[in-house]
C-alpha cells in the first residue's frame, strides 16, 4: 500500500531521475545536435556557401526545426513509457509503492525530469538557430528578415513543446488504462489514430457520402486530429511558397515578404484543443493513478470495460473498411463486415487475455460494433441519404464557380465579387445540379468519354469545398452554357488576373499565333521582372500597362458570343502567389475587341510577326493528318494535309480547337477534323495527335 505522506523531497527525486536518465539524455543530445547545428554546419561547408537566398530563408524559417517536431513526439512517447514502467512490472510496482512516497510524487519526479531534458535540449538548438539566422539576416541586408526569423523560431519552440507535452500526456494516460508495456503502446496508438482512422474509413468506404462533405464537414476535421497533422500541414504550406519562388522573378527587398509568420500558425481552435487535451490527460493520469490497483501490474488492461469499448470501435471501423470489398452487392458487403468483425475480435481478445480461449469472451462488444457497422454501411452504401446528389441550399452559398477542369488559372479564388454575385451563384448551383443528374459513375467499364466539371463553393458554415463531377464530354458545354454565357464566369475563374496590376506581374508574354501557340515558334512579346533580369524599359512598361488594361477590359465584357470566335493568341503570365510562381495561359479571342486591336497595332509596328506567315512556317515542321473520330473517342488517321491549306482554313474560322469546341458549345463536326503531331515518330507509335481541330459545321473538309 502506498503511503499518503512523502518523506522525500521533489528536488531530490528530480536529481535522482536525471541521474537515471543519463544514457537517454546523452543519446538525445547527440541526436538533437546532429539534426540541428551539425547538419546546418555540414550544409554550409559542403555547399561552400553556394546555397541560394531562397533556400536559406526556407531553411531558417521552417526546415531547421522540422526534425525537432518528430523528435518531440518520439521523446514524449518514450518518456511516457519510461515514466510508468515501474507501474507495469510487478516486482517494481510492489517495491516503489511500498516506499514512503506519495504516488503523485513518484510520477511527478519522472515527468518533470523528462520535461526539463526536452526544454534544455530544445533551448540549446534554438539558440544556435537564432545566432546563425541573425548572422545570415545581417549578411542578406534585407529589412525585417531578422525580426521575422525570430518570431518564427519562437513559434516553433512553443509548438514543439506542445507536441512533446501532448505526446507525453497521451502515453501517460494510456498507461493508466493498461498494466503492461505492450498494452500501453497499443492503447497509445489507438488514442492517436482512432479519429483520423475514422475519417480514412469514411473516405475509403463511403465515397458518395464524403464527396459532398469531405472538404468541409466532419470527415475533414476528424482527419486533422492527430499529433502529426498541424506541423506537417504547416511545413507544406510554407515550403510550397519557397518552392514556388524563382530567383529570376524575386525582386530586391522582397525577402521579408516571403517570411509569412502567420503561415506558420496552427489554427487557433487546434492549438486550444491541444492544450485542453494535454491538461485533461495529465489530470486524468493523476486521478486514475491514485486509484490504480497495484495487483493488476503485468495485466494487459486495468479496466476490462475500456478494452470492450476500444474493441467495439475498431470492429465498427473494420466493418466500414470491409464494405470496399463488397462492391455493389449488399450480401457480399455484409459478409465482409462479419469477417472483419471476427478478425478484430480474435486479435483484440488474444491481446487482452493472452490466452487463445479468451476469444470466447466479451462477444457483446463485438456484436454491438458489428451492428453499428452494418447499420452505417447499409444506410450509406444504399444511398438513403442521397449524399452523392446533395448540394447546399443556394441561399447558404457565399461564393461559387464551376468550369471544365482545365479552364481556370490554376488557383481558383472565391474572394472576388464575380464569384460572390448572387445571380451568378444561382446559375452555378443550377448547373451543378444539372451536372449531378447527368454524371457518369466510375463503377464498372463505360465507353462514354467524360469531362470533369470543377465545382468550387464556400458556405458560411462549411468552408471551402471542391467537387469534380464527371459528365459526358459531348454534353459538358451544353451543361455549362448558362454559366459560360455569363461574363461573371471568366472573372471568377481568372480572378487573380482580373485584379492584377502591372507591378504584380513577374512575367508577361503575348503569344499572338493561335494555331501554333502550343508550339515553340515565331516572335512574341515578353517582359520579365526580377533580380536576375535586365530592368524593364519604359517602352515595355507602357506596353505592359496597355496590354493588361486591354485584357482586363475584355475580360469584364466577355459573352458567349466572344467565346465562340477564333482564338488569336494567349497571354502567358506569372504572378507571385501564396502558393507558387506557376505560369498560366489566358486565351485571347477575336471577339476580345481591345486586345485584338492591340495585337493588330503591334503587328503593324513590327513588334509581332505576321500570323499567317509564322503559322505556316511552324506547321511545316510537324505532321498534319486528316482524322476521323468514332463515338467512343477512337481516332483513325487519314491523308497528310498541307500546312498552308490548314492555316488558311484556321484563319477563315473553319477549324476550331478541340478544347474550345467542347468548352464553348461550338457548332462543329465532332466526327472529322485535323490532327497535328509535333514529333513525326508519334505517328508510327500509334499515338493520338498532340493538337486536334474540328471542322465548323458546314465547312469544307481539307484533302
Amino acid at each position: 500500500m502506498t503511503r499518503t505522506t512523502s518523506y522525500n523531497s521533489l528536488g531530490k527525486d528530480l536529481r535522482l531521475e536525471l541521474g537515471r536518465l543519463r544514457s537517454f539524455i546523452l543519446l538525445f543530445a547527440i541526436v538533437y545536435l546532429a539534426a540541428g547545428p551539425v547538419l546546418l554546419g555540414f550544409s554550409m561547408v559542403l555547399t561552400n556557401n553556394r546555397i541560394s537566398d531562397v533556400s536559406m530563408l526556407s531553411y531558417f524559417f521552417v526546415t531547421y526545426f522540422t526534425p525537432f517536431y518528430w523528435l518531440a513526439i518520439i521523446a514524449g512517447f518514450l518518456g511516457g513509457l519510461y515514466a510508468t514502467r515501474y507501474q507495469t512490472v510487478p516486482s517494481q510496482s510492489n517495491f516503489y509503492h511500498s516506499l514512503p512516497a506519495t504516488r503523485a510524487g513518484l510520477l511527478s519526479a519522472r515527468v518533470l525530469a523528462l520535461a526539463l531534458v526536452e526544454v534544455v535540449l530544445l533551448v540549446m538548438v534554438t539558440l544556435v538557430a537564432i545566432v546563425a539566422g541573425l548572422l545570415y539576416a545581417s549578411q542578406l541586408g534585407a529589412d525585417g528578415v531578422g525580426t521575422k526569423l525570430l518570431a518564427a523560431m519562437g513559434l516553433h519552440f512553443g509548438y514543439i513543446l506542445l507536441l512533446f507535452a501532448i505526446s507525453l500526456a497521451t502515453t501517460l494516460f494510456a498507461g493508466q488504462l493498461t498494466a503492461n508495456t505492450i498494452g500501453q503502446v497499443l492503447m497509445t496508438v489507438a488514442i492517436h489514430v482512432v479519429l483520423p482512422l475514422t475519417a480514412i474509413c469514411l473516405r475509403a468506404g463511403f465515397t458518395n457520402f464524403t464527396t459532398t462533405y469531405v472538404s468541409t464537414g466532419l470527415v475533414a476535421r476528424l482527419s486533422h486530429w492527430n499529433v502529426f497533422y498541424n506541423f506537417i500541414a504547416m511545413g507544406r504550406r510554407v515550403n510550397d511558397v519557397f518552392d514556388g519562388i524563382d530567383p529570376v522573378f524575386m525582386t530586391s527587398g522582397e525577402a521579408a515578404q516571403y517570411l509569412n509568420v502567420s503561415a506558420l500558425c496552427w489554427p487557433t481552435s487546434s492549438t486550444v484543443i491541444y492544450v485542453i487535451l494535454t491538461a485533461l490527460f495529465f489530470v486524468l493520469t493523476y486521478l486514475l493513478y491514485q486509484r490504480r490497483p497495484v495487483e493488476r501490474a503485468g495485466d494487459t488492461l486495468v479496466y476490462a470495460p475500456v478494452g470492450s469499448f476500444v474493441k467495439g470501435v475498431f470492429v465498427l471501423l473494420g466493418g466500414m473498411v470491409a464494405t470496399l470489398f463488397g462492391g455493389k452487392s449488399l450480401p457480399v458487403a455484409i459478409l465482409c463486415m462479419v469477417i472483419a468483425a471476427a478478425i478484430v475480435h480474435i486479435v483484440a481478445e488474444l491481446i487482452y487475455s493472452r490466452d487463445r480461449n479468451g476469444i470466447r469472451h466479451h462477444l457483446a462488444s463485438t456484436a454491438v460494433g458489428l451492428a453499428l457497422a452494418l447499420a452505417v454501411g447499409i444506410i450509406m452504401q444504399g444511398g438513403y441519404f442521397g449524399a452523392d446528389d446533395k448540394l447546399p441550399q443556394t441561399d447558404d452559398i457565399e461564393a461559387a464557380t464551376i468550369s471544365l477542369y482545365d479552364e481556370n488559372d490554376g488557383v481558383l479564388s472565391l474572394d472576388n465579387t464575380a464569384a460572390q454575385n448572387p445571380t451568378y451563384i444561382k446559375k452555378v448551383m443550377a448547373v451543378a445540379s444539372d451536372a449531378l443528374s447527368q454524371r457518369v459513375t466510375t463503377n464498372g467499364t463505360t465507353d462514354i468519354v467524360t469531362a470533369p466539371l470543377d465545382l468550387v463553393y464556400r458556405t458560411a458554415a462549411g468552408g471551402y469545398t471542391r467537387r469534380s463531377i464527371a459528365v459526358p464530354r459531348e454534353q459538358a458545354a451544353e451543361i455549362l452554357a448558362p454559366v459560360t454565357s455569363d461574363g461573371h464566369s471568366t472573372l471568377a475563374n481568372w480572378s487573380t488576373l482580373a485584379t492584377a496590376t502591372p507591378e504584380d506581374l513577374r512575367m508577361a508574354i503575348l503569344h499572338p499565333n493561335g494555331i501554333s501557340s502550343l508550339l515553340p515558334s515565331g516572335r512574341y512579346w515578353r517582359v520579365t521582372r526580377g533580380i536576375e533580369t535586365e530592368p524593364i524599359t519604359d517602352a515595355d512598361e507602357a506596353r505592359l500597362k496597355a496590354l493588361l488594361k486591354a485584357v482586363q477590359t475584355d475580360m469584364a465584357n466577355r459573352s458567349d458570343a466572344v467565346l465562340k470566335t477564333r482564338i488569336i493568341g494567349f497571354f502567358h503570365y506569372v504572378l507571385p502567389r501564396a502558393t507558387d510562381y506557376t505560369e498560366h495561359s489566358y486565351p485571347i479571342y477575336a471577339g476580345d475587341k481591345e486586345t485584338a486591336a492591340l495585337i493588330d497595332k503591334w503587328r503593324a509596328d513590327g513588334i509581332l510577326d505576321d500570323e499567317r506567315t509564322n503559322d505556316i512556317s511552324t506547321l511545316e515542321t510537324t505532321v498534319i493528318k486528316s482524322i476521323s473520330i468514332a463515338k467512343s473517342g477512337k481516332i483513325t488517321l487519314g491523308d497528310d494535309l498541307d500546312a498552308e491549306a490548314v492555316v488558311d482554313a484556321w484563319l477563315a474560322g473553319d477549324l476550331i480547337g478541340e478544347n474550345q469546341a467542347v468548352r464553348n458549345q461550338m457548332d462543329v463536326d465532332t466526327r472529322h477534323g485535323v490532327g497535328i503531331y509535333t514529333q513525326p515518330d508519334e505517328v508510327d507509335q500509334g499515338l493520338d495527335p498532340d493538337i486536334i481541330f474540328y471542322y465548323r459545321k458546314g465547312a469544307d473538309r481539307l484533302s
Side-chain angles (χ1 to χ4, degrees), residues 25-274:
I25 294 172
L26 179 60
L27 174 62
F28 264 72
I30 293 173
V31 173
Y32 269 60
L33 287 173
V38 175
L39 184 60
L40 172 62
F42 270 119
S43 298
M44 297 297 293
V45 172
L46 292 176
T47 56
N48 196 24
N49 293 318
R50 289 193 300 269
I51 302 177
S52 70
D53 289 337
V54 171
S55 298
M56 287 305 300
L57 284 173
S58 173
Y59 189 80
F60 284 116
F61 198 61
V62 66
T63 306
Y64 177 88
F65 287 92
T66 300
F68 304 121
Y69 283 96
W70 294 100
L71 288 172
I73 294 172
I74 295 171
F77 173 69
L78 295 178
L81 295 179
Y82 165 80
T84 54
R85 174 68 176 168
Y86 72 97
Q87 301 173 20
T88 59
V89 178
S91 59
Q92 292 188 29
S93 178
N94 292 331
F95 171 74
Y96 279 102
H97 291 117
S98 66
L99 296 175
T102 62
R103 293 191 176 189
L106 288 171
L107 184 58
S108 296
R110 288 165 170 78
V111 171
L112 289 175
L114 292 167
L116 182 60
V117 171
E118 174 65 21
V119 170
V120 170
L121 292 177
L122 190 57
V123 167
M124 175 180 65
V125 295
T126 303
L127 287 175
V128 173
I130 290 174
V131 173
L134 291 180
L135 287 174
Y136 167 72
S138 64
Q139 179 183 353
L140 188 63
D143 295 336
V145 171
T147 302
K148 290 192 173 184
L149 286 179
L150 284 177
M153 293 172 185
L155 279 174
H156 287 304
F157 186 87
Y159 287 142
I160 291 171
L161 285 183
L162 178 57
L163 279 188
F164 169 79
I166 195 169
S167 177
L168 176 62
T170 303
T171 309
L172 292 174
F173 174 64
Q176 301 314 310
L177 302 177
T178 56
N180 65 34
T181 300
I182 294 177
Q184 185 177 5
V185 170
L186 294 176
M187 186 64 71
T188 303
V189 173
I191 294 172
H192 281 302
V193 306
V194 66
L195 292 181
L197 184 59
T198 301
I200 291 172
C201 291
L202 286 172
R203 287 175 186 265
F206 309 111
T207 53
N208 288 342
F209 177 75
T210 57
T211 295
T212 301
Y213 297 105
V214 70
S215 298
T216 61
L218 180 63
V219 177
R221 290 175 173 81
L222 289 177
S223 65
H224 297 172
W225 285 112
N226 61 81
V227 293
F228 307 106
Y229 175 79
N230 278 308
F231 81 87
I232 292 177
M234 171 199 69
R236 287 177 177 172
R237 281 196 307 270
V238 176
N239 285 325
D240 282 346
V241 175
F242 287 107
D243 290 343
I245 297 174
D246 189 333
V248 172
F249 302 133
M250 182 177 170
T251 59
S252 58
E254 286 185 332
Q257 82 175 49
Y258 296 116
L259 302 179
N260 182 10
V261 178
S262 63
L264 296 174
C265 296
W266 298 357
T268 303
S269 58
S270 296
T271 306
V272 171
I273 293 176
Y274 274 21

Side-chain angles (χ1 to χ4, degrees), residues 321-436:
V321 173
T323 59
L324 290 173
F325 303 97
K328 291 185 176 181
S329 172
L330 186 59
V332 175
I334 293 175
L335 177 61
C336 290
M337 290 185 192
V338 173
I339 294 174
I343 293 173
V344 173
H345 173 81
I346 292 171
V347 172
E349 292 302 331
L350 287 176
I351 293 173
Y352 292 164
S353 64
R354 292 178 291 179
D355 183 353
R356 62 186 180 183
N357 294 322
I359 62 176
R360 295 179 295 179
H361 303 142
H362 309 116
L363 296 174
S365 57
T366 302
V368 171
L370 177 59
L372 290 174
L374 289 171
V376 173
I378 292 172
I379 289 173
M380 295 302 183
Q381 290 292 88
Y384 294 109
F385 288 164
D388 47 345
D389 295 312
K390 185 175 178 60
L391 288 171
Q393 294 295 318
T394 302
D395 292 341
D396 296 331
I397 302 293
E398 292 184 342
T401 188
I402 190 170
S403 63
L404 277 171
Y405 183 75
D406 60 347
E407 175 59 5
N408 58 63
D409 61 353
V411 183
L412 285 172
S413 170
L414 298 180
D415 298 325
N416 62 85
T417 56
Q420 297 167 10
N421 181 278
T423 303
Y424 178 66
I425 290 174
K426 289 181 180 179
K427 290 183 180 181
V428 168
M429 300 314 292
V431 166
S433 179
D434 187 23
L436 284 173

Side-chain angles (χ1 to χ4, degrees), residues 446-450 472-474 628-636 658 670-671 688 694:
T446 177
D447 293 331
I448 301 176
V449 180
T450 62
R473 183 173 176 83
E474 292 187 347
S628 299
I629 307 169
K631 189 174 182 179
S632 64
K634 179 177 176 57
I635 295 175
T636 302
E658 178 187 27
T670 58
R671 296 292 176 257
D688 287 342
Y694 296 129

Side-chain angles (χ1 to χ4, degrees), residues 487-569:
H488 288 96
S489 176
T490 299
L491 292 173
N493 291 336
W494 298 87
S495 56
T496 53
L497 179 59
T499 57
T501 65
E503 291 73 23
D504 292 333
L505 293 170
R506 288 297 179 265
M507 184 186 74
I509 299 176
L510 177 61
H511 198 310
N513 307 110
I515 196 169
S516 61
S517 59
L518 299 180
L519 309 172
S521 66
R523 182 164 37 151
Y524 51 84
W525 177 82
R526 169 176 178 154
V527 292
T528 305
R529 194 192 306 274
I531 290 176
E532 300 180 9
T533 60
E534 295 294 328
I536 300 177
T537 64
D538 292 340
D540 276 338
E541 194 75 61
R543 293 186 185 108
L544 176 59
K545 291 180 180 179
L547 175 59
L548 185 59
K549 180 181 178 181
V551 168
Q552 291 175 338
T553 299
D554 289 329
M555 185 184 296
N557 296 320
R558 269 197 180 169
S559 64
D560 185 48
V562 171
L563 299 175
K564 294 182 185 298
T565 60
R566 184 171 63 88
I567 294 179
I568 60 174

